[in-house]
Amino acid sequence: MRKWAPPVAVMLGIALVVGTTPATAQAAGLGQIIISNDWDTNAGVVHVSVESTEPVASIHADFVDEATGATGGAADNFVLEYETSTSVSYVTSSPVVMDPGAYQAQVTVTADDGTVAAASERLIYYVNATVEDLTADRPAIDWDHRDVTVSGVLRGRWPGTGEVRPLAGALVNYWVYMNAGDPVVTDANGAFSRTFTMAGTLNTMDFFYDSGSPYTRGTGITSYTVTVTPQQTRVRVRADKRHAKVGDPITLTGKVERLGAHGWAPAPPQTGLWIETCDDTGCAYGYNNVEIAADGTFRSETTAQRTGYFQVSVTGYLDFFAGSTGRTAVVKVR
């Protein structure tokens, strides 16, 4: 299960997004006022920083809904956060509970001497969406069983209350290697599922909130990884000559098989082969431009170089097949 955590630049709980230009105001004894929010550990709690040479008596904030013009919430519970010789910073002691939406935060600061200053800033209350509870009907795959159905639930953490609810009718997007397609729509319970044919490499699937739910943002990627169980392989090869002169053409033929769910079967054409010329001192050179037919057979033309044998190695196909080797009888070259 995905755990809720407060990564940097990801807002959990109440999500208030500050505009690019700080809100400011000037009054005698009160300088610049900056309205912001905590993006990290106390997401959504409002901060008000005041350049002031006078003690601050009170801070009040109204949050006006941009869509309706109504006041969606208010806050007077600002407590001292820190102070310097030229400024003080206050923070709400608890989240302001409001519906998701866009608000104008209208802040009034009153100094001890009665001086009043005001500033405003646009803040957005987001529902923070996370993909959770990913499961797969097949956590381990092989060549015969490559289709995997992944299921999960999209949930959102509501601003203010922190309540977690399923998000219905939203779009969940994904990245799965060699699997393109449209996002998945969640059902009434926020659940979704999609079947993928795994490629055998890069076997981690990533899921994340895409769109479709008002004032909702994704909080990151949730991943699920399947493992690959390599199938055993075997290769048989023979040369068309047992005796040859240097430079004589030699034809190698053989067959590559894999041990599948129903016994030995032809390896697919994507399977890699490496052919080498070898003797008791080792292998001199090799090549891999060998085509495999649908029935697992192959044919390769080479030339006689020295007395020895030809060795064929199965290099596999991605993670689906284990390696194996086969060799011809010795070909004597004079």
Side-chain angles (χ1 to χ4, degrees), residues 188-331:
N189 298 312
F192 66 92
S193 65
R194 178 63 60 89
T195 299
F196 306 98
T197 299
M198 303 305 295
T201 188
L202 302 177
N203 297 305
T204 295
M205 298 170 277
D206 295 330
F207 298 86
F208 49 93
Y209 170 74
D210 184 279
S211 58
S213 185
Y215 293 106
T216 300
R217 59 178 293 140
T219 60
I221 292 170
T222 304
S223 300
Y224 190 95
T225 300
V226 296
T227 58
V228 182
T229 303
Q231 292 183 342
Q232 182 181 344
T233 61
R234 67 184 181 187
V235 56
R236 290 169 288 180
V237 60
R238 64 180 298 275
D240 66 342
K241 296 181 177 67
R242 296 291 298 274
H243 299 272
K245 294 184 294 183
V246 173
D248 280 354
I250 293 180
T251 300
L252 304 177
T253 55
K255 187 172 186 178
V256 187
E257 295 176 297
R258 61 181 180 87
L259 185 56
H262 304 291
W264 289 102
Q270 302 97 314
T271 306
L273 295 182
W274 178 255
I275 298 180
E276 299 173 288
T277 301
C278 307
D279 61 17
D280 293 339
T281 65
C283 300
Y285 68 94
Y287 59 94
N288 62 358
N289 55 334
V290 183
E291 294 185 1
I292 299 176
D295 62 357
T297 60
F298 64 90
R299 179 186 180 92
S300 178
E301 305 292 335
T302 185
T303 57
Q305 300 293 328
R306 59 180 180 173
T307 296
Y309 57 90
F310 296 93
Q311 179 170 283
V312 179
S313 298
V314 177
T315 57
Y317 174 59
L318 302 177
D319 297 331
F320 283 122
F321 303 124
S324 60
T325 59
R327 62 173 62 177
T328 67
V330 172
V331 178

Side-chain angles (χ1 to χ4, degrees), residues 73-127:
D76 292 294
N77 59 332
F78 288 90
V79 295
L80 181 65
E81 186 175 23
Y82 65 87
E83 59 184 325
T84 69
S85 60
T86 58
S87 66
V88 287
S89 182
Y90 293 83
V91 60
T92 50
S93 59
S94 62
V96 182
V97 177
M98 298 189 296
D99 291 332
Y103 297 87
Q104 282 292 325
Q106 300 176 349
V107 173
T108 301
V109 179
T110 303
D112 273 355
D113 65 359
T115 302
V116 177
S120 66
E121 182 60 270
R122 185 175 193 261
L123 306 176
I124 300 178
Y125 248 42
Y126 277 117
V127 173

